[in-house]
Amino acid sequence: MLDNALYEHDVKRVVSMELPWEQLRNSSVVIAGSTGLIGSFLVDVVMQANAIQNLRCKVYALGRSEAKARQRFGDYYGSEWFDFVSHDINRPMDPGLFGPVGYVVHLASNTHPVAYATDPIGTISANILGTYNLLEFAAAKGAARFAFASSNEIYGENRGDKEFFDEAYCGYIDSNTLRAGYPESKRCGEALCQAFRRQKSLEVVIPRLTRSYGPTMLMSDTKAISQFILKGVRGENIVMKSAGTQYYSYTYVADAVSGLLTVLLCGSDGEAYNIADESSDIRLKDLAGLIAGMSGSEVIFEVPDDVESAGYSRTTKARLDGTKLKALGWRPMYGIREGLERTLNILKSNVL
């Protein structure tokens, strides 16, 4: 994807940020979920930082599919600073298979509605068993820091008392439902991080991602925004399966990764940080209309099937407060309109 000028520009903008990159120099980072939306962009950023800033930072890209990794990261396979490690994080990690490890970033998780409904066990296990295994590995390797990518969904449903969720907010989740597997397991993953911090003196930070999108999205992603984007790329009508009054925060992948790196390198041990900015807050129906307008199509309505309904979030408003992260110096590079335009343009040139 780095042969796309827009995408390369996004990656280099993150590399050019004023971050303490020296912390990564002559170190290494293990990235679980390396072929996903966030993980693949993060791999590209670190590898570009190696090339531009001569960081000499080893990237261990974890994933279950060697074929998928070769397709996505083929250009890196000849580099001494890149290793793909085929591993299911639901199994323990062997510390002896790795050299020195500086940082561990846990991005591996089901993150879309159909997966929540059809693979609820896998959804929960990656966020609990996978997190435990990666934390054990990080502690055994004496890692400098562990980052657990959490989610806006840990806040639950808005109780009507807040316009924006700050990091201390705790809404309502009905835990006795299939759909609760994702937010509840993310909450448990955060608790595991705090337990390892206390018992094993492992430094942890928790970037809380909101609904993220971008050209690195998987074609199998069933989130509403991902489906809207895919329809837009193909010039098809945008399909709405609700009234679209849901009011959410969204983040373009370049901003999500720049926020994650800010938390990893500048955040305080034990703290959680929302990666969000209100310039990308939008109602679902307006999001659909925006993408339709950009792609010359229309918005139509369909009734969701039972599997889709089972995986949908019932939250009607989830706007995140990014003040805490901005205090570390982070600012988004793109608002919702420009992020969507870049996503559509990059995907049109790379997918079609």
Side-chain angles (χ1 to χ4, degrees):
M1 192 170 284
L2 280 170
D3 58 356
N4 181 284
L6 277 178
Y7 183 79
E8 183 180 14
H9 179 263
D10 286 345
V11 171
K12 287 183 176 178
R13 279 196 76 176
V14 177
V15 174
S16 68
M17 290 178 61
E18 292 186 6
L19 288 172
W21 294 101
E22 288 298 313
Q23 293 181 33
L24 295 177
R25 188 172 301 281
N26 298 317
S27 185
S28 63
V29 58
V30 175
I31 302 173
S34 62
T35 58
L37 184 151
I38 305 294
S40 60
F41 194 98
L42 178 59
V43 170
D44 285 337
V45 166
V46 179
M47 292 301 290
Q48 282 291 299
N50 278 335
I52 295 170
Q53 301 184 26
N54 193 30
L55 284 185
R56 302 172 64 86
C57 179
K58 180 84 168 192
V59 174
Y60 292 105
L62 265 63
R64 288 179 292 185
S65 173
E66 174 80 24
K68 186 185 294 185
R70 282 192 175 275
Q71 182 179 19
R72 180 61 179 82
F73 304 126
D75 292 343
Y76 300 146
Y77 267 71
S79 170
E80 63 180 307
W81 307 116
F82 178 88
D83 272 342
F84 176 75
V85 180
S86 181
H87 184 77
D88 181 348
I89 61 168
N90 291 316
R91 296 184 290 108
M93 302 265 290
D94 182 354
L97 297 178
F98 297 78
V101 169
Y103 298 86
V104 178
V105 180
H106 180 10
L107 294 161
S109 177
N110 285 338
T111 57
H112 61 101
V114 168
Y116 303 154
T118 60
D119 186 24
I121 295 173
T123 298
I124 294 169
S125 62
N127 293 331
I128 299 178
L129 292 178
T131 304
Y132 172 81
N133 288 329
L134 286 166
L135 284 163
E136 281 278 23
F137 168 80
K141 295 296 289 186
R145 179 160 279 193
F146 182 98
F148 174 58
S150 191
S151 166
N152 59 271
E153 294 220 19
I154 64 99
Y155 295 112
E157 295 182 30
N158 195 313
R159 298 184 305 231
D161 56 341
K162 288 263 191 176
E163 183 64 27
F164 294 93
F165 297 164
D166 62 22
E167 287 79 0
Y169 188 78
C170 187
Y172 169 76
I173 296 175
D174 181 356
S175 60
N176 194 31
T177 64
L178 178 68
R179 182 57 176 76
Y182 180 71
E184 291 286 23
S185 59
K186 281 292 188 183
R187 284 184 170 185
C188 186
E190 289 197 13
L192 273 170
C193 287
Q194 296 298 341
F196 269 79
R197 178 172 174 262
R198 176 60 62 88
Q199 283 189 238
K200 300 203 174 185
S201 300
L202 177 65
E203 279 205 12
V204 300
V205 284
I206 301 170
R208 288 180 181 158
L209 296 161
T210 191
R211 289 165 172 82
S212 303
Y213 67 95
T216 52
M217 57 183 270
L218 302 179
M219 297 300 104
S220 58
D221 193 330
T222 59
K223 290 193 296 290
I225 187 171
S226 303
Q227 290 300 298
F228 294 171
I229 288 169
L230 286 175
K231 293 287 187 181
V233 169
R234 295 166 181 157
E236 301 173 0
N237 288 332
I238 309 302
V239 180
M240 287 279 295
K241 299 193 176 184
S242 69
T245 56
Q246 301 95 318
Y247 199 6
Y248 298 147
S249 294
Y250 295 89
T251 311
Y252 183 57
V253 64
D255 289 323
V257 170
S258 71
L260 187 153
L261 283 166
T262 301
V263 174
L264 180 68
L265 300 176
C266 305
S268 296
D269 177 27
E271 293 295 313
Y273 297 84
N274 290 336
I275 301 177
D277 180 77
E278 60 184 287
S279 66
S280 287
D281 292 358
I282 191 170
R283 287 184 172 82
L284 196 62
K285 61 182 179 181
D286 297 326
L287 177 67
L290 194 58
I291 295 172
M294 291 176 180
S295 54
S297 57
E298 297 181 356
V299 179
I300 61 174
F301 292 86
E302 287 184 5
V303 177
D305 61 33
D306 291 343
V307 172
E308 291 171 324
S309 294
Y312 286 168
S313 171
R314 297 293 180 257
T315 304
T316 56
K317 181 185 283 189
R319 305 179 69 194
L320 271 58
D321 182 346
T323 302
K324 187 175 178 181
L325 179 60
K326 290 175 183 176
L328 299 179
W330 178 83
R331 295 294 183 274
M333 294 178 281
Y334 305 108
I336 187 68
R337 178 179 288 275
E338 191 174 3
L340 289 171
E341 287 174 342
R342 298 181 80 81
T343 300
L344 290 168
N345 287 332
I346 294 169
L347 285 177
K348 283 177 181 177
S349 65
N350 283 270
V351 174
L352 298 182

